[in-house]
């Protein structure tokens, strides 16, 4: 039977303003996890009832560890940031479907924005062929060196110009006249929407990892929905980000919100 | 005294459950997602997510907001419709030794009746009439807040089905006992209470409500005192069995509801925090009974 496990925290350090990197001894979760999946972390404080879904940044099957990179955005993630090495945290996972890795693609483009960047790192490790990575941030970048370690060519855009190209990631992609055989993407919805529109014009297939407010993370509450077109494209349904996603093909998604 | 000496059986609207623990509609799907976490055979009954006569798309996202000790939802009864439910979910649940309670939703009386009629000849045990969903604009909540309409929809649904009928009551009323009495006059064989309270949250940075629907149903441990008070009030004035719910997460919570007069107890929002919550509640009830030398729940039901 599946269960919520108490995992030992091996590392929990600040890597950028408000962003933490947490490594967990995974009790076998690493072995069954795939890029783009996520883990539910549970708060100790009972008034914070719901799990926090956090994407998996790196999987180490040999050492049975999982790395999560998360932003402190509220009281729950603040609580996580105060957990000391050696302490335990309740976790359930892996959850969701992750990216569909297309091994035959020769030129992979990865597009990430802000706290949507972490799950793309484990993805990059698992791709064949050339990898070009475009990452956008408000001001300070994260994980750039890690992407380079896996042989990716990394391009950075920041809104305030403090690092790399000044502007958004799509402007940088257009400027560099990017082309490729597939795009994998995760980040804020406006970025995904803009890149999806561009990809459609260029006729490049694209996968997007979506985010939505969740309660359970296991497909029961039907809270975290997004509009997904039916196969024949004549109608649409609300699909669950946690269970049907979080990764979808960009041309299935209705981007109206 | 040990676990085998306990008599946990309860009768709800003429149907015997092997123990009082069921699930609150909308927090357990049809049980499929929980089969990898718990043995569904252990539950007295599974109360499934609301089913309507045709597929309902539900409300836009965000549909979820956490609150102190609870949460808000504005799912809006997204479901694939009664025909899909009959085809897929009844055969799934029938594999298990547990009773099936089907929560039914509608916007109009004919819609409710259509679902009830279609379920009439299927292999389910009980129907739970949802006249209190706060997230559906038409029908739904209005049926649950007006005694005359509550009585009428109960009577009409009762006429269209052979299955025993439980009516799920809304807490968003001035006096819940008036609605309880009205639906019993309409023919209800049992009651479920409470549905969610109406609540809201505002994102002060975006200066907008968090829920796309603006308001939603408030549930979780934070609402338990309100739910318990309402079960207590209703149990004092009706003689039909009650399934109590609202913030139940432990065996102790369940015992409180039983002492207030509930026959069954439903675990709801706790399933989102702990997929084993139903089993934990059942084990907690047993432990309390052993510790206090209670052989049957009859000994403590409604003692307050």
């Amino acid at each position: 039977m599946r269960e919520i496990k108490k995992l030992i925290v091996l590392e929990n350090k600040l890597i950028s303003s408000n962003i933490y990197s947490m490594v967990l001894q995974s009790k076998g979760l690493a072995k069954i996890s795939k890029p783009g999946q996520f883990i539910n972390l549970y708060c100790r404080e009972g008034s914070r009832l719901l799990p926090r879904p956090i994407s998996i940044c790196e999987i180490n099957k040999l050492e049975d560890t999982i790395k999560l990179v998360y932003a402190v955005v509220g009281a729950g993630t603040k609580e996580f940031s105060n957990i000391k090495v050696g302490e335990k945290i309740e976790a359930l996972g892996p959850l969701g479907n992750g990216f569909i890795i297309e091994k035959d693609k020769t030129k992979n483009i990865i597009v990430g924005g802000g706290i949507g960047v972490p799950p793309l790192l484990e993805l990059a490790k698992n791709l064949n062929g050339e990898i070009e990575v475009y990452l956008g941030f408000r001001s300070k970048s994260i994980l750039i060196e890690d992407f380079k370690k896996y042989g990716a060519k990394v391009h950075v855009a920041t809104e305030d110009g403090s690092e790399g190209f000044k502007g958004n990631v799509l402007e940088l992609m257009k400027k560099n006249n990017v082309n490729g055989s597939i795009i994998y993407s995760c980040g804020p919805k406006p970025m995904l929407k803009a890149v999806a529109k561009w990809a459609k014009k260029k006729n490049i297939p694209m996968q997007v990892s979506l985010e939505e407010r969740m309660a359970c993370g296991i497909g029961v509450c039907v809270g975290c929905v997004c509009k997904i077109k039916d196969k024949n494209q004549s109608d649409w349904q609300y699909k669950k980000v946690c269970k049907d996603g979080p990764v979808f093909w960009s041309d299935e998604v209705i981007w109206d919100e | 005294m040990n676990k085998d000496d306990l008599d946990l059986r309860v009768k709800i609207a003429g149907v015997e459950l092997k123990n009082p623990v069921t699930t609150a509609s909308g927090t357990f799907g049809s049980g499929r997602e929980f089969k990898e976490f718990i043995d569904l055979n252990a539950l007295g009954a599974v109360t499934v997510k609301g089913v309507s006569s045709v597929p309902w798309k539900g409300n836009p996202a965000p549909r979820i907001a956490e609150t102190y000790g609870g949460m808000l939802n504005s799912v809006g009864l997204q479901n694939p419709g009664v025909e899909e439910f009959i085809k897929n979910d009844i055969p799934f649940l029938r594999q298990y030794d547990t009773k099936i309670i089907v929560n039914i939703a509608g916007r109009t009386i004919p819609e409710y009746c259509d679902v009830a009629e279609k379920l009439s000849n299927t292999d389910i045990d009980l129907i739970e009439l949802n006249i209190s969903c706060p997230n559906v604009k038409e029908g739904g909540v209005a049926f649950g807040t007006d005694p005359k309409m509550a009585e009428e929809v109960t009577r009409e649904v009762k006429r269209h089905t052979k299955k025993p009928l439980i009516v799920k009551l809304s807490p968003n009323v001035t006096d819940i006992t008036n609605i309880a009495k009205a639906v019993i006059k309409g023919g209800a064989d049992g009651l479920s209470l409470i549905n969610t309270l109406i609540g809201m949250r505002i994102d002060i940075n975006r200066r907008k409500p968090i829920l796309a629907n603006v308001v939603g149903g408030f549930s979780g441990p934070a609402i338990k005192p309100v739910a318990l008070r309402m079960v207590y009030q209703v149990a004092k004035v009706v003689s039909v069995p009650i399934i109590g719910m609202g913030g139940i997460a432990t065996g102790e919570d369940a015992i409180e509801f039983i002492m207030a007069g509930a026959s069954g107890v439903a675990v709801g929002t706790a399933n989102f925090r702990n997929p084993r919550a139903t089993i934990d509640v059942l084990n907690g009830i047993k432990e309390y009974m052993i510790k206090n030398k209670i052989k049957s729940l009859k000994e403590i039901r409604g003692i307050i």
Side-chain angles (χ1 to χ4, degrees):
Chain A
M1 287 266 164
R2 269 189 116 172
E3 59 182 355
I4 294 174
K5 294 181 176 179
K6 284 192 169 139
L7 304 182
I8 299 172
V9 175
L10 300 176
E11 174 194 294
N12 192 20
K13 64 175 190 207
L14 187 72
I15 59 166
S16 179
S17 125
N18 264 344
I19 297 180
Y20 287 78
S21 166
M22 178 187 274
V23 177
L24 299 170
Q25 190 71 59
S26 89
K27 284 195 178 169
L29 298 189
K31 205 169 59 193
I32 54 171
S33 295
K34 290 182 296 190
Q37 288 188 300
F38 67 96
I39 301 270
N40 267 355
L41 294 183
Y42 297 83
C43 297
R44 293 175 188 169
E45 167 50 50
S47 67
R48 294 192 273 274
L49 199 68
L50 302 176
R52 272 56 178 167
I54 312 275
S55 62
I56 299 173
C57 175
E58 280 194 271
I59 302 164
N60 189 328
K61 291 186 202 295
L62 273 175
E63 290 176 13
D64 187 27
T65 61
I66 277 180
K67 181 159 110 181
L68 310 170
V69 169
Y70 62 96
V72 172
V73 292
T77 39
K78 180 81 199 157
E79 180 191 308
F80 299 155
S81 73
N82 290 326
I83 294 175
K84 306 229 163 15
V85 168
E87 292 180 356
K88 286 181 179 168
I89 186 166
E90 283 191 299
L92 175 66
L95 301 169
N97 292 309
F99 290 100
I100 305 149
I101 293 176
E102 307 254 308
K103 291 267 183 198
D104 59 330
K105 302 290 185 201
T106 51
K107 185 163 179 196
N108 304 284
I109 304 165
I110 289 178
V111 185
I115 201 61
V117 169
L120 299 168
L121 180 58
E122 182 60 33
L123 172 75
K125 282 157 74 173
N126 285 273
L127 295 176
N128 291 341
E130 197 185 329
I131 309 170
E132 203 154 342
V133 181
Y134 281 82
L135 303 179
F137 302 92
R138 226 169 259 149
S139 170
K140 221 177 145 205
S141 72
I142 51 167
L143 303 171
I144 305 295
E145 295 309 313
D146 300 84
F147 278 98
K148 285 182 184 161
K149 243 184 1 208
Y150 302 111
K153 199 166 168 211
V154 185
H155 309 266
V156 177
T158 55
E159 278 170 28
D160 64 3
S162 59
E163 207 178 317
F165 173 79
K166 183 175 191 307
N168 70 40
V169 83
L170 183 59
E171 288 163 356
L172 177 58
M173 289 167 73
K174 284 176 178 167
K175 180 179 152 257
N176 288 5
N177 215 356
V178 171
N179 218 329
S181 35
I182 186 162
I183 301 171
Y184 300 94
S185 189
C186 184
K189 224 170 186 178
M191 179 201 92
L192 295 177
K193 184 179 174 179
V195 177
K197 198 174 152 196
W198 175 86
K200 192 176 177 181
K201 229 169 21 195
K202 302 273 272 184
N203 211 13
I204 307 172
M206 172 173 170
Q207 292 174 29
V208 292
S209 179
L210 301 181
E211 186 180 43
E212 190 49 69
R213 280 175 183 267
M214 280 180 195
C216 67
I218 59 172
V220 172
C221 72
V222 201
C224 59
V225 293
C226 59
K227 284 184 182 173
I228 299 294
K229 289 175 201 159
D230 291 345
K231 285 252 151 32
N232 61 16
Q233 307 250 325
S234 66
D235 195 7
W236 58 269
Q237 308 298 327
Y238 280 121
K239 294 278 186 186
K240 303 168 201 169
V241 168
C242 72
K243 189 94 179 182
D244 301 313
V247 178
F248 296 93
W249 289 100
S250 65
D251 57 1
E252 299 178 293
V253 179
I254 297 179
W255 297 98
D256 57 3
E257 288 121 300
Chain B
M1 194 184 259
N2 65 44
K3 281 187 183 175
D4 301 329
D5 300 324
L6 304 176
D7 182 6
L8 286 155
R9 290 174 301 171
V10 292
K11 229 177 190 167
I12 308 278
V15 177
E16 187 177 278
L17 276 56
K18 64 184 160 195
N19 67 59
V21 178
T22 184
T23 56
S25 177
T27 64
F28 207 74
S30 286
R32 218 175 245 108
E33 292 82 3
F34 285 87
K35 71 175 197 294
E36 42 182 352
F37 293 100
I38 64 165
D39 177 10
L40 294 171
N41 294 299
L43 303 179
V46 169
T47 305
V48 304
K49 179 168 168 54
V51 181
S52 52
S53 66
V54 293
W56 283 8
K57 277 187 156 58
N59 290 328
R63 294 176 169 182
I64 302 289
E66 193 180 56
T67 64
Y68 196 92
M71 62 174 281
L72 301 170
N73 89 81
S74 60
V75 171
L77 286 164
Q78 177 176 341
N79 81 93
V82 67
E83 274 153 37
E84 281 295 303
F85 173 79
I86 291 170
K87 201 167 74 193
N88 300 322
D89 292 6
I90 296 177
F92 167 76
L93 280 166
R94 265 296 157 248
Q95 300 170 76
Y96 299 95
D97 175 24
T98 187
K99 300 295 180 195
I100 305 173
I101 304 176
V102 182
N103 181 284
I104 68 169
R107 292 188 178 94
T108 61
I109 289 178
E111 278 185 25
Y112 279 114
C113 293
D114 182 49
V115 189
E117 197 159 15
K118 283 181 175 141
L119 289 168
S120 207
N121 293 316
T122 66
D123 192 13
I124 64 153
D125 298 291
L126 291 146
I127 290 177
E128 182 182 70
L129 179 62
N130 180 1
I131 55 166
S132 46
C133 181
N135 294 320
V136 177
K137 287 194 177 63
E138 311 88 357
V141 83
F143 286 111
T145 53
D146 180 292
K148 275 209 186 77
M149 283 175 79
E151 182 183 335
E152 193 188 341
V153 67
T154 306
R155 181 168 293 122
E156 288 306 308
V157 169
K158 187 73 187 164
R159 265 190 344 116
H160 283 81
T161 188
K162 290 176 275 187
K163 300 292 179 187
L165 184 66
I166 303 167
V167 179
K168 186 166 181 177
L169 304 183
S170 169
N172 304 308
V173 292
T174 313
D175 184 353
I176 196 167
T177 63
N178 284 341
I179 312 283
K181 286 186 239 171
V183 300
I184 290 170
K185 216 167 128 199
D189 305 298
L191 301 173
S192 280
L193 59 146
I194 58 174
N195 206 319
T196 53
L197 294 146
I198 298 174
M200 79 181 282
R201 267 198 66 192
I202 293 169
D203 179 336
I204 59 169
N205 297 314
R206 287 172 53 245
R207 302 183 182 195
K208 280 183 176 161
I210 292 183
L211 298 174
N213 195 48
V214 183
V215 298
F218 177 30
S219 65
I223 72 161
K224 199 187 81 180
V226 177
L228 193 63
R229 182 264 296 179
M230 289 189 162
V231 167
Y232 168 76
Q233 283 181 319
V234 171
K236 285 282 179 241
V237 298
V238 306
S239 53
V240 301
I242 295 170
I243 302 176
M245 68 196 73
I248 297 177
T250 66
E252 288 92 336
D253 295 336
I255 296 290
E256 281 192 78
F257 277 83
I258 292 166
M259 287 184 173
S263 294
V265 285
V267 180
T269 300
N271 289 307
F272 301 156
R273 167 63 178 81
N274 169 16
R276 288 186 52 81
T278 46
I279 302 299
D280 291 350
V281 167
L282 180 59
N283 289 338
I285 292 171
K286 289 178 187 169
E287 278 163 31
Y288 177 85
M289 291 173 79
I290 292 166
K291 197 174 152 201
N292 294 279
K293 302 197 169 46
I294 294 160
K295 203 168 175 310
S296 163
L297 292 170
K298 284 183 203 139
E299 296 166 38
I300 56 166
R301 181 170 313 122
I303 59 168
I304 304 298

